Amino acid sequence: MVASTEEAAAAAAGSLPPPHIGNGNCAGVAAESENPQSDVERWKHRVDEYNSKVDELEQRVTEVLEYYATRKQPKTYKGSSGGKVKEMDKFSSAANNSGSNHSGGKLVEGCPREVICSKRMQELMRQFGTILKQISQHKWAWPFMEPVDVKGLGLHDYHEVIKRPMDFSTIKNQMEAKEGSGYKNVREIYADVRLVFTNAMTYNDGRTDIHVMAKTLLEKFEEKWLQLLPKVVEEEARQKEDEAWDLANMQIFQEASYEKMAKDTSSELDELNLHLEKLRELVIQKCRKMSTKEKRELSVGLSSLSPEDLNKALEIIAQNNPIFRATGEVVELDMDAQSESTLWKLKLFVKGALELQAKNSASKEDDTIKRKKEIYDAVAKTARKRNKKIHSL
């Protein structure tokens, strides 16, 4: 429609300046100008603006379609209080209204859930630090306090056997590191403490003192860890619920955003189509009278249309001529009896339809040529193989 309007603008004399698009809205139509040629140029410029707006809206439509094609349906949620399954969106709405978390406890006002979660994990890490302190104060803990002195002890094959050395001082430094560079959770510290002892047991023979010391301390450490483990498991479960909560809220927010985008885009498309149609009508009204030669060319063009496009052309005629009836296989159309507005609409429609037909025909012709070339290449290849086989005999 935009291209057709541009062509009509070029044919118009004494045209009206087109409406202006700004921030997705179309304004009204300005008064008639005294300079037809200048108006035509402005109309073309406005059509370019329309084209840009159409491209923008098409991108937004594509984005919305891709979102709805790939989005996942909301999952059901099993809360920690009562084990009752709820729809996540309903659950989220209820929680937002009540200001409470999903476990039944009130969230601290003005304190994000991430902060509360971090504080709970920090408390667990503090309790783990107490366990680590108790183990490191054991009389047999001294060999594991600092990194192994590989050079000083002449342990030339140590790094071949032990791929990831670990010791208590390294663990302590990691625990005291600034947020973001240290341990993220208790299980990471637990794994490194175990690594201290398993490294020692791996490198040292079972009959050595270091192996026995490491094994003994590992057993004591595991006993203390088992006392803290239920709290760790509970916190991990709460974190998992929090992540599901946040993901669901994000999906709800995202869906609401795309729903609004879809509605806004639909409204803008309707508005743009409305103003484009008005623009097109105004341009056509200002077009000069069609010459006899142009009418004959239009008749020839109509006869070249596909049946589907011909029916659309007849609909254009019927819109402006209520008494027109297209009956039978052959329709007699008196060009001189049609209004100038109808003739120019037909001309613009026929031009676009024939251009599309020619483009599709060229594409099919290219496919045919390509197919013939493939067949020719296959026949030539078979012939070369046959000749080669005959010569080999």
Side-chain angles (χ1 to χ4, degrees):
M1 179 182 293
V2 174
S4 298
T5 305
E6 183 175 2
E7 291 167 8
S15 309
L16 296 177
H20 172 68
I21 299 178
N23 299 323
N25 297 316
C26 297
V29 180
E32 185 174 359
S33 171
E34 295 179 358
N35 188 340
Q37 185 60 36
S38 177
D39 284 341
V40 170
E41 293 302 321
R42 283 199 293 270
W43 279 56
K44 289 181 179 180
H45 176 69
R46 296 304 186 192
V47 169
D48 289 339
E49 290 183 354
Y50 281 143
N51 277 322
S52 298
K53 186 62 181 178
V54 168
D55 290 341
E56 177 190 336
L57 293 176
E58 283 181 349
Q59 290 178 1
R60 283 161 56 182
V61 168
T62 301
E63 186 178 347
V64 171
L65 290 175
E66 288 178 352
Y67 167 74
Y68 280 103
T70 58
R71 75 177 180 130
K72 295 180 180 179
Q73 294 296 326
K75 295 181 180 180
T76 55
Y77 174 84
K78 187 172 183 179
S80 58
S81 55
K84 187 177 181 180
V85 177
K86 303 177 180 180
E87 289 292 337
M88 191 53 114
D89 54 350
K90 295 179 182 178
F91 173 77
S92 174
S93 176
N96 288 335
N97 292 333
S98 66
S100 62
N101 64 14
H102 54 276
S103 301
K106 292 286 183 180
L107 289 176
V108 180
E109 186 176 355
C111 190
R113 184 182 297 106
E114 293 82 0
V115 176
I116 297 175
C117 177
S118 176
K119 287 184 176 180
R120 293 198 307 258
M121 183 55 69
Q122 287 175 7
E123 173 59 23
L124 284 176
M125 293 174 74
R126 186 194 65 78
Q127 295 179 35
F128 188 92
T130 301
I131 296 175
L132 184 59
K133 184 177 180 180
Q134 293 171 351
I135 295 298
S136 62
Q137 288 176 345
H138 193 279
K139 61 181 181 179
W140 286 352
W142 60 268
F144 315 108
M145 298 303 296
E146 300 292 336
V148 175
D149 185 5
V150 177
K151 273 190 176 182
L153 297 174
L155 308 178
H156 306 297
D157 63 340
Y158 186 81
H159 291 294
E160 296 178 6
V161 178
I162 304 303
K163 303 302 181 184
R164 186 168 172 262
M166 187 55 60
D167 63 277
F168 286 168
S169 66
T170 300
I171 294 173
K172 184 179 179 182
N173 291 336
Q174 276 284 89
M175 291 180 67
E176 295 174 352
K178 292 182 180 179
E179 189 175 351
S181 59
Y183 291 112
K184 302 294 187 299
N185 56 64
V186 177
R187 284 195 184 270
E188 290 182 354
I189 318 176
Y190 165 75
D192 277 356
V193 173
R194 276 188 54 85
L195 188 61
V196 172
F197 300 126
T198 55
N199 280 349
M201 294 165 63
T202 300
Y203 188 76
N204 297 279
D205 186 82
R207 292 167 295 182
T208 62
D209 291 341
I210 294 295
H211 185 104
V212 173
M213 294 163 71
K215 183 177 180 181
T216 301
L217 290 178
L218 178 59
E219 291 173 354
K220 291 182 177 296
F221 168 69
E222 292 287 6
E223 289 176 4
K224 295 182 180 296
W225 166 252
L226 287 175
Q227 296 174 10
L228 182 63
L229 185 58
K231 294 182 180 179
V232 176
V233 173
E234 181 184 0
E235 176 57 27
E236 288 172 342
R238 292 177 72 178
Q239 286 188 3
K240 190 173 182 180
E241 291 176 4
D242 286 344
E243 289 172 2
W245 167 283
D246 292 337
L247 177 61
N249 278 337
M250 182 183 69
Q251 290 176 341
I252 292 169
F253 175 78
Q254 191 178 40
E255 182 157 349
S257 298
Y258 276 102
E259 183 178 350
K260 184 179 184 303
M261 183 189 293
K263 289 180 179 178
D264 291 345
T265 303
S266 177
S267 298
E268 289 185 41
L269 282 170
D270 290 342
E271 187 178 6
L272 182 61
N273 283 330
L274 176 63
H275 284 275
L276 280 171
E277 186 59 32
K278 288 181 179 179
L279 174 62
R280 187 169 180 270
E281 290 291 338
L282 288 170
V283 174
I284 290 175
Q285 288 174 15
K286 290 296 178 180
C287 285
R288 58 177 171 76
K289 288 188 177 183
M290 190 175 288
S291 66
T292 303
K293 179 182 178 182
E294 288 175 317
K295 290 179 182 179
R296 285 198 298 269
E297 291 175 349
L298 178 57
S299 296
V300 174
L302 285 169
S303 64
S304 302
L305 292 177
S306 66
E308 182 181 357
D309 286 335
L310 182 57
N311 286 332
K312 292 180 181 178
L314 295 177
E315 288 176 6
I316 292 175
I317 298 172
Q319 287 174 0
N320 296 275
N321 189 356
I323 63 174
F324 174 77
R325 293 289 182 271
T327 56
E329 295 183 359
V330 179
V331 178
E332 293 185 3
L333 181 62
D334 184 359
M335 289 295 184
D336 294 329
Q338 307 305 316
S339 66
E340 292 298 324
S341 174
T342 300
L343 291 174
W344 279 107
K345 283 183 180 180
L346 283 174
K347 178 179 175 64
L348 297 174
F349 172 77
V350 170
K351 185 177 186 300
L354 291 179
E355 286 177 352
L356 184 59
Q357 283 182 199
K359 183 178 179 180
N360 293 336
S361 177
S363 177
K364 290 180 181 178
E365 186 176 346
D366 289 342
D367 290 341
T368 302
I369 293 173
K370 183 179 178 181
R371 181 57 181 162
K372 287 181 177 179
K373 185 178 183 303
E374 290 175 351
I375 295 173
Y376 173 79
D377 291 342
V379 171
K381 185 176 180 181
T382 303
R384 285 195 299 271
K385 286 184 178 179
R386 186 183 297 111
N387 291 335
K388 187 177 179 180
K389 187 175 181 181
I390 291 173
H391 288 309
S392 63
L393 295 175

